[in-house]
Amino acid sequence: MEEKGAASGRGGGRRTITQMLVVGAIASAAGIAWGIAIDWFPMQGSTAADDIDTLWDVLVVISVPIFVLVTTVVLFAARDFRMRPGEEGLDGPPIHGSTRLEVIWTALPAILLVGLCTYAYIVLDDIESAPANAAQERRIGVTGEQFAWTFDYNEGGRKFTTTQLHVPEGESVQFLIKSKDVIHDFWVPDWRMKLDAVPGITTSYRVTPTALGRHEIVCAELCGIGHAFMRQTAVVDTPQAFRTWVDKQLAAREGQAAGGGDGAAGGDGAAGGGGTADVNAKALFLEGNTAGATACGACHKLADAGSSGGTGPDLDEVLQGQDAAAIQESIVNPNAKITSGFGEGIMPANYEELLSPAELKALVAYLAEVTK
Protein backbone atom coordinates (compact mmCIF):
# COMPACT_ATOMS: atom_id res chain seq x y z
CA MET A 1 0.00 0.00 0.00
CA GLU A 2 2.85 2.34 0.82
CA GLU A 3 4.46 1.65 -2.54
CA LYS A 4 1.21 2.24 -4.41
CA GLY A 5 0.54 5.50 -2.59
CA ALA A 6 4.03 6.83 -3.20
CA ALA A 7 3.82 6.00 -6.86
CA SER A 8 0.29 7.30 -7.39
CA GLY A 9 0.98 10.62 -5.68
CA ARG A 10 2.93 11.90 -8.67
CA GLY A 11 1.72 14.69 -10.89
CA GLY A 12 -0.48 17.66 -10.20
CA GLY A 13 -3.57 16.64 -12.14
CA ARG A 14 -5.58 19.54 -13.53
CA ARG A 15 -3.19 22.06 -11.97
CA THR A 16 -0.28 20.61 -13.92
CA ILE A 17 -2.28 20.60 -17.15
CA THR A 18 -3.23 24.24 -16.58
CA GLN A 19 0.40 25.15 -15.95
CA MET A 20 1.43 23.35 -19.14
CA LEU A 21 -1.17 25.18 -21.20
CA VAL A 22 -0.14 28.58 -19.83
CA VAL A 23 3.58 27.95 -20.31
CA GLY A 24 2.98 26.46 -23.77
CA ALA A 25 0.82 29.37 -24.91
CA ILE A 26 3.32 31.98 -23.74
CA ALA A 27 6.31 30.12 -25.22
CA SER A 28 4.48 29.54 -28.51
CA ALA A 29 3.49 33.18 -28.89
CA ALA A 30 7.03 34.32 -28.09
CA GLY A 31 8.56 31.74 -30.45
CA ILE A 32 6.25 32.66 -33.34
CA ALA A 33 6.89 36.38 -32.88
CA TRP A 34 10.64 35.80 -32.72
CA GLY A 35 10.64 33.44 -35.71
CA ILE A 36 8.73 35.89 -37.91
CA ALA A 37 10.71 38.92 -36.72
CA ILE A 38 14.07 37.39 -37.66
CA ASP A 39 15.29 38.53 -41.09
CA TRP A 40 16.14 35.05 -42.35
CA PHE A 41 16.62 35.84 -46.03
CA PRO A 42 18.45 38.33 -48.26
CA MET A 43 16.57 40.85 -50.36
CA GLN A 44 13.64 39.70 -52.49
CA GLY A 45 14.87 39.74 -56.06
CA SER A 46 12.19 37.84 -57.99
CA THR A 47 8.44 37.39 -58.21
CA ALA A 48 8.83 33.99 -56.50
CA ALA A 49 10.62 35.38 -53.45
CA ASP A 50 7.53 36.70 -51.64
CA ASP A 51 5.62 33.42 -52.06
CA ILE A 52 8.57 31.40 -50.78
CA ASP A 53 9.12 33.74 -47.82
CA THR A 54 5.41 33.45 -46.95
CA LEU A 55 5.68 29.65 -47.09
CA TRP A 56 8.58 29.87 -44.65
CA ASP A 57 6.52 32.03 -42.26
CA VAL A 58 3.64 29.55 -42.40
CA LEU A 59 6.03 26.73 -41.51
CA VAL A 60 7.38 28.76 -38.59
CA VAL A 61 3.87 29.51 -37.28
CA ILE A 62 2.93 25.82 -37.38
CA SER A 63 6.20 24.20 -36.28
CA VAL A 64 6.92 26.43 -33.26
CA PRO A 65 3.80 25.37 -31.27
CA ILE A 66 4.49 21.71 -32.06
CA PHE A 67 8.06 22.05 -30.79
CA VAL A 68 6.82 23.92 -27.70
CA LEU A 69 4.14 21.27 -27.02
CA VAL A 70 6.61 18.39 -27.11
CA THR A 71 9.24 20.25 -25.08
CA THR A 72 6.71 21.38 -22.46
CA VAL A 73 5.33 17.87 -21.94
CA VAL A 74 8.86 16.46 -21.61
CA LEU A 75 9.94 19.12 -19.10
CA PHE A 76 6.82 18.81 -16.94
CA ALA A 77 7.04 15.01 -17.04
CA ALA A 78 10.68 15.21 -15.94
CA ARG A 79 9.66 17.53 -13.10
CA ASP A 80 6.66 15.59 -11.80
CA PHE A 81 7.70 12.02 -12.50
CA ARG A 82 11.41 12.05 -11.81
CA MET A 83 12.81 9.47 -9.43
CA ARG A 84 13.37 10.82 -5.94
CA PRO A 85 15.79 9.52 -3.28
CA GLY A 86 14.50 6.28 -1.76
CA GLU A 87 12.30 5.44 -4.74
CA GLU A 88 14.88 3.42 -6.64
CA GLY A 89 12.95 0.16 -6.20
CA LEU A 90 9.45 1.49 -6.85
CA ASP A 91 7.36 0.90 -9.97
CA GLY A 92 4.91 3.39 -11.37
CA PRO A 93 1.18 2.68 -11.27
CA PRO A 94 -0.21 0.43 -14.02
CA ILE A 95 -1.67 2.72 -16.67
CA HIS A 96 -3.69 1.53 -19.66
CA GLY A 97 -3.04 3.37 -22.92
CA SER A 98 -5.73 5.65 -24.35
CA THR A 99 -6.83 4.45 -27.79
CA ARG A 100 -8.62 7.74 -28.43
CA LEU A 101 -5.48 9.75 -27.61
CA GLU A 102 -3.31 7.55 -29.83
CA VAL A 103 -5.71 7.99 -32.75
CA ILE A 104 -5.72 11.77 -32.23
CA TRP A 105 -1.95 12.20 -32.05
CA THR A 106 -1.54 10.01 -35.14
CA ALA A 107 -4.30 11.58 -37.22
CA LEU A 108 -3.55 15.24 -36.48
CA PRO A 109 0.12 15.18 -37.59
CA ALA A 110 -0.86 13.20 -40.70
CA ILE A 111 -3.52 15.77 -41.63
CA LEU A 112 -1.08 18.60 -40.90
CA LEU A 113 1.66 17.09 -43.09
CA VAL A 114 -0.71 16.47 -45.99
CA GLY A 115 -1.95 20.05 -45.73
CA LEU A 116 1.54 21.54 -45.65
CA CYS A 117 2.75 19.37 -48.53
CA THR A 118 -0.28 20.39 -50.58
CA TYR A 119 0.34 24.07 -49.86
CA ALA A 120 4.05 23.75 -50.73
CA TYR A 121 3.17 21.95 -53.98
CA ILE A 122 0.73 24.71 -54.94
CA VAL A 123 3.36 27.40 -54.26
CA LEU A 124 6.04 25.56 -56.27
CA ASP A 125 3.65 24.79 -59.14
CA ASP A 126 2.56 28.42 -59.27
CA ILE A 127 6.08 29.91 -59.39
CA GLU A 128 7.18 27.28 -61.93
CA SER A 129 4.22 27.78 -64.28
CA ALA A 130 5.06 29.01 -67.76
CA PRO A 131 4.09 32.58 -68.65
CA ALA A 132 1.27 33.27 -71.09
CA ASN A 133 3.80 34.12 -73.80
CA ALA A 134 5.93 31.02 -73.18
CA ALA A 135 6.96 30.89 -76.84
CA GLN A 136 8.76 34.21 -76.39
CA GLU A 137 10.29 33.32 -73.04
CA ARG A 138 14.05 33.79 -72.86
CA ARG A 139 16.04 30.60 -72.28
CA ILE A 140 19.59 30.70 -70.96
CA GLY A 141 21.80 27.65 -70.75
CA VAL A 142 23.72 27.29 -67.48
CA THR A 143 26.76 25.01 -67.39
CA GLY A 144 28.55 24.19 -64.15
CA GLU A 145 32.07 22.87 -63.96
CA GLN A 146 34.77 22.87 -61.33
CA PHE A 147 34.67 25.68 -60.30
CA ALA A 148 32.77 28.21 -62.40
CA TRP A 149 29.57 28.82 -64.35
CA THR A 150 29.18 29.62 -68.05
CA PHE A 151 26.01 30.89 -69.73
CA ASP A 152 24.72 30.22 -73.26
CA TYR A 153 22.48 32.81 -74.92
CA ASN A 154 20.39 32.56 -78.06
CA GLU A 155 19.13 36.01 -79.00
CA GLY A 156 17.07 35.84 -82.16
CA GLY A 157 19.08 32.91 -83.49
CA ARG A 158 22.42 34.58 -82.71
CA LYS A 159 24.27 32.64 -80.06
CA PHE A 160 27.10 33.44 -77.69
CA THR A 161 28.63 32.02 -74.50
CA THR A 162 29.92 34.07 -71.59
CA THR A 163 30.82 33.78 -67.92
CA GLN A 164 28.73 36.88 -67.22
CA LEU A 165 25.04 36.39 -66.43
CA HIS A 166 22.80 39.30 -67.40
CA VAL A 167 18.99 39.11 -67.35
CA PRO A 168 16.29 41.73 -67.98
CA GLU A 169 14.12 43.02 -65.15
CA GLY A 170 10.50 41.90 -65.20
CA GLU A 171 10.89 39.28 -67.94
CA SER A 172 10.53 35.53 -67.36
CA VAL A 173 13.75 33.57 -67.90
CA GLN A 174 14.03 29.80 -68.03
CA PHE A 175 17.41 28.44 -67.00
CA LEU A 176 18.46 25.13 -68.60
CA ILE A 177 21.00 23.71 -66.18
CA LYS A 178 23.65 21.05 -66.80
CA SER A 179 27.09 20.02 -65.60
CA LYS A 180 30.31 19.05 -67.36
CA ASP A 181 31.81 17.06 -64.51
CA VAL A 182 30.24 16.55 -61.05
CA ILE A 183 26.97 17.59 -59.43
CA HIS A 184 26.70 21.33 -58.80
CA ASP A 185 23.74 23.44 -57.68
CA PHE A 186 22.78 26.71 -59.36
CA TRP A 187 21.48 29.11 -56.71
CA VAL A 188 20.86 32.84 -56.61
CA PRO A 189 19.74 33.47 -53.00
CA ASP A 190 17.97 36.74 -53.85
CA TRP A 191 15.77 34.84 -56.31
CA ARG A 192 15.10 32.01 -53.78
CA MET A 193 15.39 29.36 -56.52
CA LYS A 194 18.01 26.62 -56.67
CA LEU A 195 18.41 23.38 -58.59
CA ASP A 196 21.05 20.72 -59.10
CA ALA A 197 23.22 20.67 -62.21
CA VAL A 198 23.58 16.94 -62.89
CA PRO A 199 25.98 15.38 -65.44
CA GLY A 200 24.12 13.79 -68.35
CA ILE A 201 20.75 15.51 -67.87
CA THR A 202 19.32 19.02 -68.17
CA THR A 203 17.26 20.45 -65.32
CA SER A 204 15.41 23.76 -65.43
CA TYR A 205 13.54 26.41 -63.50
CA ARG A 206 11.97 29.79 -64.20
CA VAL A 207 12.64 33.16 -62.61
CA THR A 208 11.24 36.62 -63.19
CA PRO A 209 13.81 39.05 -61.69
CA THR A 210 12.42 42.17 -60.05
CA ALA A 211 15.40 43.88 -58.42
CA LEU A 212 17.94 45.74 -60.54
CA GLY A 213 21.62 45.36 -59.73
CA ARG A 214 24.06 42.61 -58.88
CA HIS A 215 23.06 39.36 -57.18
CA GLU A 216 25.42 36.63 -56.00
CA ILE A 217 25.47 33.23 -57.70
CA VAL A 218 26.38 30.36 -55.39
CA CYS A 219 27.01 26.66 -55.90
CA ALA A 220 24.93 24.97 -53.21
CA GLU A 221 26.28 21.44 -53.72
CA LEU A 222 29.67 20.33 -52.40
CA CYS A 223 31.56 19.79 -55.66
CA GLY A 224 35.25 19.65 -54.76
CA ILE A 225 38.05 21.51 -53.10
CA GLY A 226 37.18 24.82 -54.79
CA HIS A 227 33.44 24.62 -54.00
CA ALA A 228 33.45 27.55 -51.57
CA PHE A 229 34.85 29.83 -54.26
CA MET A 230 32.40 28.84 -57.02
CA ARG A 231 30.72 32.23 -56.88
CA GLN A 232 29.85 34.63 -59.66
CA THR A 233 27.41 37.49 -60.16
CA ALA A 234 24.02 37.76 -61.83
CA VAL A 235 23.27 41.25 -63.13
CA VAL A 236 19.66 42.36 -63.52
CA ASP A 237 19.43 45.15 -66.10
CA THR A 238 16.58 47.24 -67.37
CA PRO A 239 15.24 45.70 -70.61
CA GLN A 240 16.95 48.44 -72.61
CA ALA A 241 20.27 48.04 -70.81
CA PHE A 242 20.05 44.26 -71.27
CA ARG A 243 19.58 44.59 -75.00
CA THR A 244 22.49 47.00 -75.17
CA TRP A 245 24.65 44.45 -73.33
CA VAL A 246 23.51 41.66 -75.70
CA ASP A 247 24.27 43.81 -78.75
CA LYS A 248 27.74 44.50 -77.38
CA GLN A 249 28.41 40.79 -76.85
CA LEU A 250 27.17 39.89 -80.33
CA ALA A 251 29.07 42.72 -81.99
CA ALA A 252 32.30 41.68 -80.31
CA ARG A 253 31.95 38.05 -81.36
CA GLU A 254 30.70 38.73 -84.86
CA GLY A 255 33.45 41.28 -85.39
CA GLN A 256 36.03 38.80 -84.14
CA ALA A 257 34.64 36.08 -86.38
CA ALA A 258 34.95 38.38 -89.35
CA GLY A 259 38.60 38.94 -88.41
CA GLY A 260 39.29 35.19 -88.47
CA GLY A 261 40.11 34.64 -84.77
CA ASP A 262 38.50 32.35 -82.22
CA GLY A 263 38.46 34.51 -79.13
CA ALA A 264 36.70 37.64 -77.91
CA ALA A 265 37.38 40.63 -80.08
CA GLY A 266 38.36 44.11 -79.07
CA GLY A 267 41.29 46.41 -78.95
CA ASP A 268 42.33 47.31 -75.41
CA GLY A 269 43.90 44.03 -74.28
CA ALA A 270 47.58 43.25 -74.54
CA ALA A 271 48.29 41.13 -77.54
CA GLY A 272 51.44 39.56 -78.74
CA GLY A 273 52.50 39.16 -82.35
CA GLY A 274 51.89 36.26 -84.65
CA GLY A 275 48.15 36.62 -85.30
CA THR A 276 47.08 37.80 -81.82
CA ALA A 277 46.18 41.37 -82.77
CA ASP A 278 42.45 40.58 -82.93
CA VAL A 279 42.39 38.91 -79.50
CA ASN A 280 41.34 41.08 -76.58
CA ALA A 281 43.33 39.26 -73.93
CA LYS A 282 41.90 41.24 -71.05
CA ALA A 283 38.33 40.41 -72.13
CA LEU A 284 39.39 36.80 -72.63
CA PHE A 285 40.75 36.75 -69.06
CA LEU A 286 37.50 38.17 -67.68
CA GLU A 287 34.92 36.42 -69.88
CA GLY A 288 36.42 33.24 -71.33
CA ASN A 289 35.65 32.31 -74.91
CA THR A 290 32.90 30.72 -76.97
CA ALA A 291 34.71 27.37 -77.05
CA GLY A 292 33.99 26.90 -73.35
CA ALA A 293 37.17 28.19 -71.71
CA THR A 294 36.16 29.49 -68.29
CA ALA A 295 37.07 33.07 -67.44
CA CYS A 296 40.37 33.18 -65.53
CA GLY A 297 39.03 36.11 -63.51
CA ALA A 298 36.31 33.91 -62.02
CA CYS A 299 38.97 32.07 -60.03
CA HIS A 300 41.99 34.39 -59.86
CA LYS A 301 42.69 37.82 -58.50
CA LEU A 302 44.42 40.20 -60.92
CA ALA A 303 44.66 43.91 -60.21
CA ASP A 304 44.84 45.05 -63.84
CA ALA A 305 41.63 43.17 -64.73
CA GLY A 306 39.84 44.12 -61.51
CA SER A 307 39.04 40.47 -60.75
CA SER A 308 38.89 39.17 -57.18
CA GLY A 309 38.47 35.39 -57.50
CA GLY A 310 39.85 33.32 -54.66
CA THR A 311 39.60 29.77 -55.95
CA GLY A 312 43.12 29.97 -57.39
CA PRO A 313 46.27 31.91 -56.45
CA ASP A 314 46.63 35.68 -56.65
CA LEU A 315 48.25 36.12 -60.08
CA ASP A 316 49.86 39.44 -59.16
CA GLU A 317 51.91 37.50 -56.61
CA VAL A 318 52.58 34.10 -58.20
CA LEU A 319 53.32 35.33 -61.74
CA GLN A 320 55.50 38.26 -60.80
CA GLY A 321 58.85 37.98 -62.59
CA GLN A 322 57.94 34.82 -64.51
CA ASP A 323 58.67 34.60 -68.22
CA ALA A 324 56.15 33.75 -70.93
CA ALA A 325 57.15 30.08 -71.08
CA ALA A 326 56.52 29.58 -67.36
CA ILE A 327 53.17 31.37 -67.53
CA GLN A 328 52.07 29.27 -70.50
CA GLU A 329 53.08 26.09 -68.69
CA SER A 330 50.94 27.11 -65.67
CA ILE A 331 47.94 27.50 -68.01
CA VAL A 332 48.23 24.33 -70.09
CA ASN A 333 49.66 22.10 -67.36
CA PRO A 334 48.38 23.56 -64.06
CA ASN A 335 49.24 20.51 -61.97
CA ALA A 336 52.95 20.60 -62.88
CA LYS A 337 53.65 23.23 -60.23
CA ILE A 338 51.09 23.87 -57.51
CA THR A 339 51.20 27.01 -55.38
CA SER A 340 51.43 26.44 -51.63
CA GLY A 341 47.99 26.46 -50.04
CA PHE A 342 46.19 25.11 -53.09
CA GLY A 343 45.48 21.54 -54.17
CA GLU A 344 45.85 19.51 -57.32
CA GLY A 345 42.91 19.39 -59.71
CA ILE A 346 41.36 22.76 -58.85
CA MET A 347 42.15 24.29 -62.24
CA PRO A 348 40.92 22.47 -65.39
CA ALA A 349 43.79 20.96 -67.38
CA ASN A 350 42.23 21.34 -70.83
CA TYR A 351 42.85 25.02 -71.60
CA GLU A 352 45.25 24.08 -74.40
CA GLU A 353 42.25 22.47 -76.13
CA LEU A 354 39.78 25.25 -75.34
CA LEU A 355 42.02 28.18 -76.29
CA SER A 356 43.16 28.77 -79.84
CA PRO A 357 46.93 29.30 -80.37
CA ALA A 358 46.28 33.01 -80.89
CA GLU A 359 44.22 33.25 -77.69
CA LEU A 360 46.79 31.35 -75.65
CA LYS A 361 49.63 33.49 -76.95
CA ALA A 362 47.74 36.72 -76.31
CA LEU A 363 46.71 35.65 -72.81
CA VAL A 364 50.28 34.71 -71.90
CA ALA A 365 51.59 38.02 -73.25
CA TYR A 366 48.95 39.94 -71.30
CA LEU A 367 49.69 38.19 -68.01
CA ALA A 368 53.45 38.58 -68.48
CA GLU A 369 53.01 42.30 -69.12
CA VAL A 370 50.67 43.16 -66.22
CA THR A 371 52.49 41.08 -63.57
CA LYS A 372 56.11 41.93 -64.33
Side-chain angles (χ1 to χ4, degrees):
M1 293 297 293
E2 182 180 353
E3 179 176 325
K4 181 178 179 180
S8 61
R10 296 301 186 88
R14 292 184 180 276
R15 185 180 66 180
T16 298
I17 294 176
T18 301
Q19 292 174 348
M20 292 171 62
L21 290 174
V22 171
V23 171
I26 294 174
S28 294
I32 290 172
W34 185 40
I36 293 179
I38 292 176
D39 190 11
W40 297 98
F41 304 111
M43 67 176 294
Q44 294 184 351
S46 73
T47 54
D50 185 62
D51 291 337
I52 293 175
D53 291 357
T54 300
L55 173 60
W56 172 266
D57 288 340
V58 170
L59 294 176
V60 168
V61 170
I62 292 176
S63 60
V64 166
I66 294 175
F67 172 78
V68 169
L69 170 65
V70 174
T71 303
T72 301
V73 171
V74 170
L75 292 177
F76 272 86
R79 184 197 72 174
D80 291 344
F81 298 99
R82 69 186 186 279
M83 184 184 68
R84 294 176 173 84
E87 296 180 346
E88 292 80 2
L90 299 181
D91 290 330
I95 299 174
H96 187 275
S98 171
T99 302
R100 177 183 297 177
L101 184 59
E102 291 178 1
V103 169
I104 290 173
W105 74 39
T106 300
L108 285 182
I111 294 172
L112 189 61
L113 286 174
V114 170
L116 289 175
C117 289
T118 301
Y119 173 46
Y121 173 80
I122 292 172
V123 171
L124 183 61
D125 183 65
D126 181 59
I127 63 180
E128 281 286 295
S129 59
N133 57 341
Q136 301 176 2
E137 182 180 45
R138 177 168 283 98
R139 292 174 175 82
I140 300 176
V142 179
T143 302
E145 62 180 311
Q146 296 172 314
F147 296 96
W149 302 99
T150 53
F151 306 97
D152 300 310
Y153 287 80
N154 185 346
E155 297 294 322
R158 297 186 298 172
K159 302 178 181 180
F160 64 92
T161 300
T162 176
T163 56
Q164 301 176 10
L165 176 60
H166 283 245
V167 292
E169 178 193 24
E171 297 184 17
S172 178
V173 178
Q174 183 179 28
F175 293 103
L176 306 174
I177 306 165
K178 59 185 179 180
S179 171
K180 286 186 178 181
D181 38 41
V182 299
I183 297 177
H184 301 280
D185 194 298
F186 181 64
W187 180 34
V188 180
D190 292 348
W191 296 344
R192 303 295 191 272
M193 300 295 290
K194 60 188 290 292
L195 196 64
D196 281 349
V198 182
I201 66 174
T202 299
T203 57
S204 68
Y205 67 70
R206 288 183 171 87
V207 165
T208 302
T210 58
L212 294 171
R214 303 171 70 85
H215 306 269
E216 188 174 28
I217 302 171
V218 181
C219 177
E221 186 76 35
L222 183 61
C223 58
I225 194 169
H227 163 71
F229 302 102
M230 193 170 171
R231 294 171 179 262
Q232 287 165 239
T233 302
V235 180
V236 179
D237 298 316
T238 64
Q240 181 179 358
F242 173 76
R243 285 163 182 78
T244 299
W245 177 81
V246 168
D247 290 341
K248 182 179 178 181
Q249 301 300 310
L250 291 170
R253 282 154 180 79
E254 291 170 359
Q256 180 276 331
D262 295 321
D268 63 352
T276 66
D278 289 330
V279 178
N280 184 336
K282 186 174 181 178
L284 180 62
F285 180 89
L286 288 172
E287 301 178 17
N289 69 4
T290 56
T294 302
C296 309
C299 297
H300 293 283
K301 181 179 180 181
L302 183 67
D304 183 81
S307 62
S308 57
T311 305
D314 182 338
L315 298 185
D316 290 303
E317 296 180 359
V318 299
L319 297 185
Q320 187 175 19
Q322 293 194 28
D323 59 22
I327 294 175
Q328 179 166 325
E329 177 69 10
S330 67
I331 295 174
V332 301
N333 189 14
N335 294 321
K337 183 180 180 181
I338 300 174
T339 302
S340 177
F342 296 88
E344 183 177 352
I346 295 179
M347 179 174 170
N350 61 343
Y351 275 95
E352 191 168 19
E353 302 172 9
L354 298 176
L355 295 171
S356 69
E359 287 176 327
L360 180 59
K361 188 173 182 178
L363 184 59
V364 169
Y366 169 66
L367 292 174
E369 176 65 25
V370 300
T371 59
K372 65 182 180 181

